[in-house]
Amino acid sequence: QVQLVESGGGVVQAGGTLRLSCAASGNAFDLNVMGWYRQPPGKQRDWVAHITRGGVGYYTSSVKGRFTISRDNAKNTVYLEMNSLKPEDTAVYYCVADLSAAKTYYSATYAMDYWGKGTLVNVSS
């Protein structure tokens, strides 16, 4: 079993920066994919970004060029650096991890193997 714990959420003004972290514990050695989903208030949860064990990152179009995902395999930790934040980035951000081979895109309903409890990011205008 794997546990995912997020940190780094908070309140930031539009145009600002936040860095989310997610540490995996337990049997985390076989995690091929680590990444993030988010759920804005009153909307469905959607995929944001993910990164392979080899360090290749993929992003949804709305965050490409503003967000950067990275990973430290030795620490079983994934990061999401969020720049130029917009009010529409306000959401609960969930760390995810999957044992399967990486895809280039994940649907909103894809059944990731592991989910964190989420951390709130609130971008004020």
PDB file of all heavy atoms in Angstrom, residues 1-2 9 12 14 20 25 30 33-35 37 42 44-45 51 57 63 66 85-86 99 107 109 115 118 125:
ATOM      1  N   GLN A   1       0.841  -1.199   0.000  1.00  0.00           N
ATOM      2  CA  GLN A   1       0.000   0.000   0.000  1.00  0.00           C
ATOM      3  C   GLN A   1       0.876   1.249   0.000  1.00  0.00           C
ATOM      4  O   GLN A   1       1.999   1.237   0.516  1.00  0.00           O
ATOM      5  CB  GLN A   1      -0.917   0.004   1.233  1.00  0.00           C
ATOM      6  CG  GLN A   1      -2.049   1.012   1.164  1.00  0.00           C
ATOM      7  CD  GLN A   1      -2.990   0.757   0.013  1.00  0.00           C
ATOM      8  OE1 GLN A   1      -2.696   1.114  -1.128  1.00  0.00           O
ATOM      9  NE2 GLN A   1      -4.118   0.123   0.279  1.00  0.00           N
ATOM     10  N   VAL A   2       0.373   2.303  -0.648  1.00  0.00           N
ATOM     11  CA  VAL A   2       1.093   3.563  -0.768  1.00  0.00           C
ATOM     12  C   VAL A   2       0.245   4.682  -0.188  1.00  0.00           C
ATOM     13  O   VAL A   2      -0.971   4.738  -0.407  1.00  0.00           O
ATOM     14  CB  VAL A   2       1.414   3.859  -2.244  1.00  0.00           C
ATOM     15  CG1 VAL A   2       1.995   5.259  -2.411  1.00  0.00           C
ATOM     16  CG2 VAL A   2       2.371   2.827  -2.808  1.00  0.00           C
ATOM     17  N   GLY A   9      -0.154  24.000  -0.357  1.00  0.00           N
ATOM     18  CA  GLY A   9      -1.290  24.797  -0.801  1.00  0.00           C
ATOM     19  C   GLY A   9      -1.435  26.057   0.047  1.00  0.00           C
ATOM     20  O   GLY A   9      -0.781  26.230   1.067  1.00  0.00           O
ATOM     21  N   VAL A  12      -2.925  32.799  -2.588  1.00  0.00           N
ATOM     22  CA  VAL A  12      -1.943  33.595  -3.327  1.00  0.00           C
ATOM     23  C   VAL A  12      -2.689  34.541  -4.248  1.00  0.00           C
ATOM     24  O   VAL A  12      -3.796  34.224  -4.709  1.00  0.00           O
ATOM     25  CB  VAL A  12      -0.986  32.670  -4.123  1.00  0.00           C
ATOM     26  CG1 VAL A  12      -1.745  31.871  -5.164  1.00  0.00           C
ATOM     27  CG2 VAL A  12       0.159  33.450  -4.735  1.00  0.00           C
ATOM     28  N   ALA A  14      -3.347  36.613  -7.761  1.00  0.00           N
ATOM     29  CA  ALA A  14      -3.182  36.320  -9.181  1.00  0.00           C
ATOM     30  C   ALA A  14      -1.816  36.820  -9.652  1.00  0.00           C
ATOM     31  O   ALA A  14      -1.378  37.903  -9.270  1.00  0.00           O
ATOM     32  CB  ALA A  14      -4.297  36.972  -9.981  1.00  0.00           C
ATOM     33  N   LEU A  20       3.669  23.023  -4.864  1.00  0.00           N
ATOM     34  CA  LEU A  20       3.085  21.896  -4.165  1.00  0.00           C
ATOM     35  C   LEU A  20       4.080  20.742  -4.105  1.00  0.00           C
ATOM     36  O   LEU A  20       4.853  20.540  -5.041  1.00  0.00           O
ATOM     37  CB  LEU A  20       1.813  21.427  -4.864  1.00  0.00           C
ATOM     38  CG  LEU A  20       0.710  22.461  -5.090  1.00  0.00           C
ATOM     39  CD1 LEU A  20      -0.491  21.783  -5.739  1.00  0.00           C
ATOM     40  CD2 LEU A  20       0.329  23.135  -3.803  1.00  0.00           C
ATOM     41  N   SER A  25       4.785   7.329   0.640  1.00  0.00           N
ATOM     42  CA  SER A  25       5.376   6.411   1.602  1.00  0.00           C
ATOM     43  C   SER A  25       4.748   5.034   1.433  1.00  0.00           C
ATOM     44  O   SER A  25       3.748   4.871   0.738  1.00  0.00           O
ATOM     45  CB  SER A  25       5.173   6.923   3.029  1.00  0.00           C
ATOM     46  OG  SER A  25       3.796   7.028   3.317  1.00  0.00           O
ATOM     47  N   ASP A  30       7.618   1.096  -6.855  1.00  0.00           N
ATOM     48  CA  ASP A  30       7.148   0.674  -8.182  1.00  0.00           C
ATOM     49  C   ASP A  30       6.255   1.692  -8.865  1.00  0.00           C
ATOM     50  O   ASP A  30       5.630   1.381  -9.874  1.00  0.00           O
ATOM     51  CB  ASP A  30       6.386  -0.648  -8.063  1.00  0.00           C
ATOM     52  CG  ASP A  30       7.276  -1.787  -7.621  1.00  0.00           C
ATOM     53  OD1 ASP A  30       8.475  -1.764  -7.982  1.00  0.00           O
ATOM     54  OD2 ASP A  30       6.775  -2.675  -6.923  1.00  0.00           O
ATOM     55  N   VAL A  33       4.095   6.386 -12.459  1.00  0.00           N
ATOM     56  CA  VAL A  33       3.566   7.722 -12.715  1.00  0.00           C
ATOM     57  C   VAL A  33       3.231   8.399 -11.394  1.00  0.00           C
ATOM     58  O   VAL A  33       2.644   7.793 -10.503  1.00  0.00           O
ATOM     59  CB  VAL A  33       2.290   7.643 -13.582  1.00  0.00           C
ATOM     60  CG1 VAL A  33       1.614   9.004 -13.696  1.00  0.00           C
ATOM     61  CG2 VAL A  33       2.623   7.081 -14.965  1.00  0.00           C
ATOM     62  N   MET A  34       3.601   9.649 -11.288  1.00  0.00           N
ATOM     63  CA  MET A  34       3.136  10.512 -10.191  1.00  0.00           C
ATOM     64  C   MET A  34       2.642  11.801 -10.816  1.00  0.00           C
ATOM     65  O   MET A  34       3.188  12.256 -11.835  1.00  0.00           O
ATOM     66  CB  MET A  34       4.242  10.786  -9.181  1.00  0.00           C
ATOM     67  CG  MET A  34       4.708   9.547  -8.447  1.00  0.00           C
ATOM     68  SD  MET A  34       5.889   9.909  -7.116  1.00  0.00           S
ATOM     69  CE  MET A  34       4.757  10.559  -5.862  1.00  0.00           C
ATOM     70  N   GLY A  35       1.619  12.387 -10.214  1.00  0.00           N
ATOM     71  CA  GLY A  35       1.077  13.590 -10.835  1.00  0.00           C
ATOM     72  C   GLY A  35       0.032  14.268  -9.984  1.00  0.00           C
ATOM     73  O   GLY A  35      -0.041  14.033  -8.770  1.00  0.00           O
ATOM     74  N   TYR A  37      -4.126  15.948 -10.021  1.00  0.00           N
ATOM     75  CA  TYR A  37      -5.447  16.309 -10.496  1.00  0.00           C
ATOM     76  C   TYR A  37      -5.892  17.528  -9.687  1.00  0.00           C
ATOM     77  O   TYR A  37      -5.308  17.839  -8.655  1.00  0.00           O
ATOM     78  CB  TYR A  37      -6.449  15.169 -10.262  1.00  0.00           C
ATOM     79  CG  TYR A  37      -6.502  14.126 -11.356  1.00  0.00           C
ATOM     80  CD1 TYR A  37      -5.384  13.337 -11.663  1.00  0.00           C
ATOM     81  CD2 TYR A  37      -7.670  13.905 -12.070  1.00  0.00           C
ATOM     82  CE1 TYR A  37      -5.447  12.378 -12.661  1.00  0.00           C
ATOM     83  CE2 TYR A  37      -7.746  12.937 -13.067  1.00  0.00           C
ATOM     84  CZ  TYR A  37      -6.632  12.176 -13.353  1.00  0.00           C
ATOM     85  OH  TYR A  37      -6.697  11.219 -14.336  1.00  0.00           O
ATOM     86  N   GLY A  42     -17.342  23.394  -7.321  1.00  0.00           N
ATOM     87  CA  GLY A  42     -18.522  23.133  -8.116  1.00  0.00           C
ATOM     88  C   GLY A  42     -18.278  22.472  -9.455  1.00  0.00           C
ATOM     89  O   GLY A  42     -19.200  22.353 -10.263  1.00  0.00           O
ATOM     90  N   GLN A  44     -15.997  19.321 -11.897  1.00  0.00           N
ATOM     91  CA  GLN A  44     -15.464  17.969 -11.795  1.00  0.00           C
ATOM     92  C   GLN A  44     -13.947  18.010 -11.604  1.00  0.00           C
ATOM     93  O   GLN A  44     -13.282  18.988 -11.904  1.00  0.00           O
ATOM     94  CB  GLN A  44     -15.811  17.155 -13.042  1.00  0.00           C
ATOM     95  CG  GLN A  44     -15.007  17.524 -14.289  1.00  0.00           C
ATOM     96  CD  GLN A  44     -15.205  16.540 -15.433  1.00  0.00           C
ATOM     97  OE1 GLN A  44     -16.100  15.683 -15.403  1.00  0.00           O
ATOM     98  NE2 GLN A  44     -14.378  16.639 -16.458  1.00  0.00           N
ATOM     99  N   ARG A  45     -13.428  16.921 -11.121  1.00  0.00           N
ATOM    100  CA  ARG A  45     -11.996  16.771 -10.942  1.00  0.00           C
ATOM    101  C   ARG A  45     -11.356  16.413 -12.278  1.00  0.00           C
ATOM    102  O   ARG A  45     -11.849  15.546 -12.999  1.00  0.00           O
ATOM    103  CB  ARG A  45     -11.734  15.674  -9.905  1.00  0.00           C
ATOM    104  CG  ARG A  45     -10.310  15.551  -9.461  1.00  0.00           C
ATOM    105  CD  ARG A  45     -10.216  14.754  -8.172  1.00  0.00           C
ATOM    106  NE  ARG A  45     -10.805  13.457  -8.246  1.00  0.00           N
ATOM    107  CZ  ARG A  45     -10.955  12.632  -7.205  1.00  0.00           C
ATOM    108  NH1 ARG A  45     -10.539  13.034  -6.006  1.00  0.00           N
ATOM    109  NH2 ARG A  45     -11.506  11.464  -7.356  1.00  0.00           N
ATOM    110  N   ILE A  51       4.169  12.948 -14.372  1.00  0.00           N
ATOM    111  CA  ILE A  51       5.565  12.767 -14.740  1.00  0.00           C
ATOM    112  C   ILE A  51       5.919  11.292 -14.619  1.00  0.00           C
ATOM    113  O   ILE A  51       5.473  10.607 -13.706  1.00  0.00           O
ATOM    114  CB  ILE A  51       6.485  13.644 -13.863  1.00  0.00           C
ATOM    115  CG1 ILE A  51       7.926  13.610 -14.351  1.00  0.00           C
ATOM    116  CG2 ILE A  51       6.371  13.273 -12.379  1.00  0.00           C
ATOM    117  CD1 ILE A  51       8.800  14.699 -13.723  1.00  0.00           C
ATOM    118  N   GLY A  57       7.513  14.940 -18.405  1.00  0.00           N
ATOM    119  CA  GLY A  57       6.296  15.545 -17.891  1.00  0.00           C
ATOM    120  C   GLY A  57       5.262  15.809 -18.966  1.00  0.00           C
ATOM    121  O   GLY A  57       5.612  16.056 -20.129  1.00  0.00           O
ATOM    122  N   VAL A  63      -2.480  24.727 -18.375  1.00  0.00           N
ATOM    123  CA  VAL A  63      -1.369  25.033 -17.461  1.00  0.00           C
ATOM    124  C   VAL A  63      -0.020  24.957 -18.153  1.00  0.00           C
ATOM    125  O   VAL A  63       1.004  25.327 -17.549  1.00  0.00           O
ATOM    126  CB  VAL A  63      -1.370  24.096 -16.229  1.00  0.00           C
ATOM    127  CG1 VAL A  63      -2.730  24.089 -15.560  1.00  0.00           C
ATOM    128  CG2 VAL A  63      -0.923  22.689 -16.587  1.00  0.00           C
ATOM    129  N   ARG A  66       3.027  27.420 -17.699  1.00  0.00           N
ATOM    130  CA  ARG A  66       2.937  28.093 -16.400  1.00  0.00           C
ATOM    131  C   ARG A  66       3.314  27.160 -15.249  1.00  0.00           C
ATOM    132  O   ARG A  66       3.884  27.596 -14.258  1.00  0.00           O
ATOM    133  CB  ARG A  66       1.518  28.613 -16.173  1.00  0.00           C
ATOM    134  CG  ARG A  66       1.051  29.625 -17.189  1.00  0.00           C
ATOM    135  CD  ARG A  66      -0.278  30.254 -16.782  1.00  0.00           C
ATOM    136  NE  ARG A  66      -1.369  29.281 -16.691  1.00  0.00           N
ATOM    137  CZ  ARG A  66      -2.065  29.049 -15.582  1.00  0.00           C
ATOM    138  NH1 ARG A  66      -1.795  29.713 -14.468  1.00  0.00           N
ATOM    139  NH2 ARG A  66      -3.046  28.158 -15.590  1.00  0.00           N
ATOM    140  N   LEU A  85      -0.158  32.350 -11.598  1.00  0.00           N
ATOM    141  CA  LEU A  85      -1.432  31.765 -11.200  1.00  0.00           C
ATOM    142  C   LEU A  85      -2.598  32.674 -11.526  1.00  0.00           C
ATOM    143  O   LEU A  85      -2.500  33.909 -11.460  1.00  0.00           O
ATOM    144  CB  LEU A  85      -1.416  31.440  -9.710  1.00  0.00           C
ATOM    145  CG  LEU A  85      -0.643  30.153  -9.362  1.00  0.00           C
ATOM    146  CD1 LEU A  85      -0.270  30.131  -7.885  1.00  0.00           C
ATOM    147  CD2 LEU A  85      -1.460  28.928  -9.732  1.00  0.00           C
ATOM    148  N   LYS A  86      -3.706  32.033 -11.899  1.00  0.00           N
ATOM    149  CA  LYS A  86      -4.927  32.730 -12.267  1.00  0.00           C
ATOM    150  C   LYS A  86      -6.054  32.323 -11.316  1.00  0.00           C
ATOM    151  O   LYS A  86      -6.012  31.228 -10.742  1.00  0.00           O
ATOM    152  CB  LYS A  86      -5.332  32.361 -13.694  1.00  0.00           C
ATOM    153  CG  LYS A  86      -4.266  32.619 -14.742  1.00  0.00           C
ATOM    154  CD  LYS A  86      -4.700  32.101 -16.099  1.00  0.00           C
ATOM    155  CE  LYS A  86      -3.633  32.334 -17.159  1.00  0.00           C
ATOM    156  NZ  LYS A  86      -4.053  31.841 -18.492  1.00  0.00           N
ATOM    157  N   LEU A  99       0.731   2.609 -10.887  1.00  0.00           N
ATOM    158  CA  LEU A  99       1.725   1.573 -11.137  1.00  0.00           C
ATOM    159  C   LEU A  99       1.859   1.241 -12.619  1.00  0.00           C
ATOM    160  O   LEU A  99       2.873   0.703 -13.045  1.00  0.00           O
ATOM    161  CB  LEU A  99       1.349   0.307 -10.366  1.00  0.00           C
ATOM    162  CG  LEU A  99       1.277   0.432  -8.854  1.00  0.00           C
ATOM    163  CD1 LEU A  99       0.643  -0.820  -8.257  1.00  0.00           C
ATOM    164  CD2 LEU A  99       2.667   0.641  -8.272  1.00  0.00           C
ATOM    165  N   SER A 107      -7.815  10.846 -18.426  1.00  0.00           N
ATOM    166  CA  SER A 107      -9.165  11.391 -18.377  1.00  0.00           C
ATOM    167  C   SER A 107      -9.546  11.727 -16.943  1.00  0.00           C
ATOM    168  O   SER A 107      -8.888  11.298 -15.993  1.00  0.00           O
ATOM    169  CB  SER A 107     -10.158  10.376 -18.948  1.00  0.00           C
ATOM    170  OG  SER A 107     -10.303   9.285 -18.065  1.00  0.00           O
ATOM    171  N   THR A 109     -11.887  10.552 -15.329  1.00  0.00           N
ATOM    172  CA  THR A 109     -12.404   9.383 -14.624  1.00  0.00           C
ATOM    173  C   THR A 109     -11.404   8.230 -14.559  1.00  0.00           C
ATOM    174  O   THR A 109     -11.749   7.149 -14.083  1.00  0.00           O
ATOM    175  CB  THR A 109     -13.688   8.877 -15.308  1.00  0.00           C
ATOM    176  OG1 THR A 109     -13.394   8.591 -16.677  1.00  0.00           O
ATOM    177  CG2 THR A 109     -14.788   9.921 -15.218  1.00  0.00           C
ATOM    178  N   TRP A 115      -4.428   7.983  -4.400  1.00  0.00           N
ATOM    179  CA  TRP A 115      -4.811   9.396  -4.334  1.00  0.00           C
ATOM    180  C   TRP A 115      -4.444   9.960  -2.971  1.00  0.00           C
ATOM    181  O   TRP A 115      -4.585   9.283  -1.948  1.00  0.00           O
ATOM    182  CB  TRP A 115      -6.327   9.551  -4.519  1.00  0.00           C
ATOM    183  CG  TRP A 115      -6.823   9.234  -5.882  1.00  0.00           C
ATOM    184  CD1 TRP A 115      -7.056   7.991  -6.395  1.00  0.00           C
ATOM    185  CD2 TRP A 115      -7.150  10.167  -6.914  1.00  0.00           C
ATOM    186  NE1 TRP A 115      -7.504   8.091  -7.687  1.00  0.00           N
ATOM    187  CE2 TRP A 115      -7.586   9.419  -8.029  1.00  0.00           C
ATOM    188  CE3 TRP A 115      -7.138  11.559  -7.009  1.00  0.00           C
ATOM    189  CZ2 TRP A 115      -7.983  10.016  -9.220  1.00  0.00           C
ATOM    190  CZ3 TRP A 115      -7.540  12.148  -8.195  1.00  0.00           C
ATOM    191  CH2 TRP A 115      -7.957  11.384  -9.284  1.00  0.00           C
ATOM    192  N   GLY A 118      -5.653  15.754  -0.778  1.00  0.00           N
ATOM    193  CA  GLY A 118      -5.839  17.047  -1.414  1.00  0.00           C
ATOM    194  C   GLY A 118      -5.330  18.209  -0.588  1.00  0.00           C
ATOM    195  O   GLY A 118      -5.288  18.148   0.646  1.00  0.00           O
ATOM    196  N   SER A 125      -8.140  37.395  -7.012  1.00  0.00           N
ATOM    197  CA  SER A 125      -7.974  38.343  -8.132  1.00  0.00           C
ATOM    198  C   SER A 125      -7.653  39.739  -7.633  1.00  0.00           C
ATOM    199  O   SER A 125      -7.718  40.025  -6.449  1.00  0.00           O
ATOM    200  CB  SER A 125      -9.250  38.369  -8.967  1.00  0.00           C
ATOM    201  OG  SER A 125     -10.345  38.709  -8.162  1.00  0.00           O
TER     202      SER A 125
END
